Amino acid sequence: MKKDFISDKRRVSYLSATYNRIYRGKSVFIEGDFGAGKTRFLKLLRPKQLNAVWAESLFNIHEILAAILKELNYDATATYRRTPQYLKMICKLSNCFIIIDEANDLDPRVWPYLKRIIDAGVPIVFAGLPKVRTYLSRNHPDILSRLKTLILYPIEVELFIEQYKDIQQEAVEQIYMAVKGDMRKFKEICTDCRDKAKELNHKFVDINLALEFISDLPPQ
């Protein structure tokens, strides 16, 4: 474990939450914008007695299934004809969990197959951009309901939360999401919120105060 990376409370908490899920055969979605550290977080996952199998999100479903089995030393050939057979084999696995980074690149036709794997109790840890959750909520809400969503913010935002105790964490998170990762705008709004709180003699910036500034943002 990289001490300088997993030093903030959120990532420590998320690591524990992810372990708890996959040990129970449940799946997780790690959501974050570009640069939030999703891939680095995935590389920290080393649960005892479970093998991590990385699956390439750009592959077709027959290639994904064959690649998963190959990583576990099965003799598998990537052909559509063997897709049903390979899907059944993967659904019977009990000694591994599957990692799919860049889930936003998955072919939409792959999701129903992944649902079968999830329902079979083979854990999948996805990582991707916020648009993955948007897509699933619109097209596969049943799959989204099976995933525990954990939102990662860049380390810089985490350090900001630690440094400025006078801004509620929920307020910081809402501001960050509203500016869509623009750190210059993020810091600007946080400063404006703190100035307004001081003017109003408030001890801290709460979510309601933050929303006043967020509502003034132009559409992006």
Side-chain angles (χ1 to χ4, degrees), residues 27-190:
S27 298
V28 180
F29 172 48
I30 307 297
E31 175 185 312
D33 286 316
F34 297 108
K38 300 183 294 297
T39 300
R40 293 181 68 187
F41 179 83
L42 292 177
K43 290 179 178 177
L44 291 172
L45 296 174
R46 299 186 184 92
K48 297 177 180 179
Q49 300 178 343
L50 286 179
N51 296 312
V53 180
W54 289 71
E56 173 55 63
S57 60
L58 291 172
F59 288 172
N60 292 321
I61 186 57
H62 67 289
E63 296 171 318
I64 290 176
L65 298 181
I68 290 171
L69 292 172
K70 282 182 179 178
E71 278 211 40
L72 295 170
N73 297 319
Y74 286 89
D75 182 13
T77 303
T79 64
Y80 278 113
R81 183 170 56 85
R82 297 187 180 180
T83 296
Q85 175 190 350
Y86 291 165
L87 178 61
K88 290 179 181 179
M89 291 173 65
I90 291 173
C91 287
K92 293 179 180 178
L93 295 174
S94 60
N95 63 338
C96 70
F97 72 103
I98 299 167
I99 295 176
I100 301 180
D101 198 3
E102 304 292 352
N104 32 283
D105 291 331
L106 284 168
D107 187 314
R109 293 170 294 183
V110 168
W111 284 103
Y113 292 89
L114 298 179
K115 179 188 174 186
R116 297 293 192 280
I117 296 172
I118 291 170
D119 285 348
V122 179
I124 303 179
V125 179
F126 300 92
L129 300 173
K131 66 180 182 180
V132 174
R133 180 154 52 108
T134 301
Y135 170 79
L136 290 177
S137 66
R138 292 174 179 171
N139 299 280
H140 297 288
D142 53 336
I143 296 178
L144 184 60
S145 69
R146 289 162 166 76
L147 306 175
K148 182 177 183 63
T149 300
L150 303 173
I151 302 176
L152 275 184
Y153 299 96
I155 293 294
E156 189 173 357
V157 177
E158 302 291 359
L159 294 176
F160 191 96
I161 293 173
E162 288 294 316
Q163 184 177 359
Y164 295 98
K165 300 293 187 181
D166 58 335
I167 305 181
Q168 284 186 336
Q169 181 171 320
E170 184 181 7
V172 172
E173 293 172 355
Q174 289 297 321
I175 294 170
Y176 178 78
M177 286 190 286
V179 301
K180 300 187 183 302
D182 185 333
M183 289 304 298
R184 182 178 293 128
K185 193 67 179 176
F186 168 79
K187 292 178 180 179
E188 178 184 323
I189 293 178
C190 285

